[in-house]
Amino acid sequence: MKFLRVFPAMRFFFLVSLCLSISPVRAETVMFRADSMTGSSGKGGDYARLTGNASITTESVEIFADSIELSGKGYRYIKATGNVSGTNIKEKIDFTCAEMHYDRELKLSSMQDTVHLVDRANDAVANAQLMEYDEKSGAVVMQISVAMQQKDNVCTGSYAIYNTKTRKLFLSGNPQIVQGTDTFRAQEIVLDLNTNEVTLDGRVRGAVKRENE
């Protein structure tokens, strides 16, 4: 087993090329920065811990945090904690949270504690306590104190699934959508962000105001 330790006084920059045997056969460049680092490699997999002003950049994501851990074969898994922020470069999605887990092979992100997400491609902003994002399908699963705004749509609930590719939002858990002066409530609500069409199901209620012509 190899062991590497970089002391805090030695600020550094690493450039590493990795090839995952379980991924398509091509290398991915991974760049690291931090005030200090400890790490090891062996048959059980690779491990590195970046501490203090830590950051990591791959072809898919850029992540900043107080601390970042990389583990698994070829540093497949990333765990970021403390003042986490970053960007999904390809999908133009920015995020902040307290803790994040990312699977570089499956392109799956899990974020928790005051998660804030900005979908710049669709002009949408979302907040929740828990979020899971599947980059391949475009699905964002949001739980607890969900609030999302897209242009004139203000959407709230306790559970939501938002698809960044199809631009559709599913809400449940006392959901509500406000469109200007109109309010919609039901057990489940689906909003098509392409057309602004709202579909309500179960205990439907609301208020619609129209100006006199």
Side-chain angles (χ1 to χ4, degrees):
M1 175 179 288
K2 297 179 181 179
F3 183 83
L4 172 66
R5 180 178 179 85
V6 181
F7 293 93
M10 300 171 62
R11 187 166 184 82
F12 64 93
F13 177 85
F14 284 109
L15 177 62
V16 183
S17 292
L18 305 174
C19 183
L20 305 180
S21 60
I22 52 180
S23 296
V25 184
R26 70 177 185 84
E28 180 179 38
T29 300
V30 181
M31 294 178 287
F32 306 87
R33 285 184 187 272
D35 292 334
S36 64
M37 173 184 176
T38 58
S40 62
S41 62
K43 293 182 179 180
D46 303 309
Y47 176 82
R49 179 181 176 86
L50 312 173
T51 306
N53 299 302
S55 70
I56 180 169
T57 302
T58 74
E59 294 174 6
S60 299
V61 296
E62 186 175 43
I63 302 171
F64 303 89
D66 293 338
S67 175
I68 297 177
E69 295 180 39
L70 301 98
S71 61
K73 186 175 181 180
Y75 300 113
R76 172 179 172 179
Y77 303 105
I78 298 172
K79 176 183 177 182
T81 55
N83 298 305
V84 181
S85 64
T87 300
N88 185 296
I89 300 168
K90 180 181 178 181
E91 303 301 327
K92 298 180 181 180
I93 291 177
D94 302 325
F95 55 84
T96 61
C97 60
E99 183 174 319
M100 175 185 184
H101 298 256
Y102 181 64
D103 185 326
R104 293 178 52 238
E105 179 197 352
L106 298 180
K107 306 299 182 185
L108 293 175
S109 302
S110 176
M111 297 169 279
Q112 63 185 51
D113 294 338
T114 317
V115 186
H116 179 71
L117 183 144
V118 179
D119 180 4
R120 288 181 281 121
N122 293 314
D123 193 23
V125 177
N127 295 281
Q129 288 303 306
L130 298 171
M131 284 193 197
E132 294 181 355
Y133 172 51
D134 184 340
E135 181 181 329
K136 294 180 180 179
S137 69
V140 182
V141 178
M142 299 179 277
Q143 301 181 65
I144 308 174
S145 303
V146 177
M148 179 172 164
Q149 183 168 359
Q150 192 267 350
K151 296 183 179 179
D152 293 331
N153 297 300
V154 179
C155 315
T156 56
S158 59
Y159 180 83
I161 301 175
Y162 166 55
N163 193 294
T164 62
K165 299 184 185 299
T166 63
R167 291 167 53 88
K168 290 187 177 181
L169 172 69
F170 167 83
L171 282 166
S172 65
N174 195 30
Q176 174 180 281
I177 292 181
V178 177
Q179 293 181 332
T181 59
D182 301 340
T183 302
F184 304 95
R185 296 185 179 91
Q187 288 182 313
E188 295 181 348
I189 301 177
V190 176
L191 171 64
D192 188 332
L193 299 178
N194 299 290
T195 62
N196 257 9
E197 180 179 271
V198 178
T199 303
L200 308 173
D201 185 29
R203 298 180 183 176
V204 176
R205 59 200 186 279
V208 177
K209 183 178 180 180
R210 291 290 180 264
E211 296 289 342
N212 293 327
E213 295 184 359

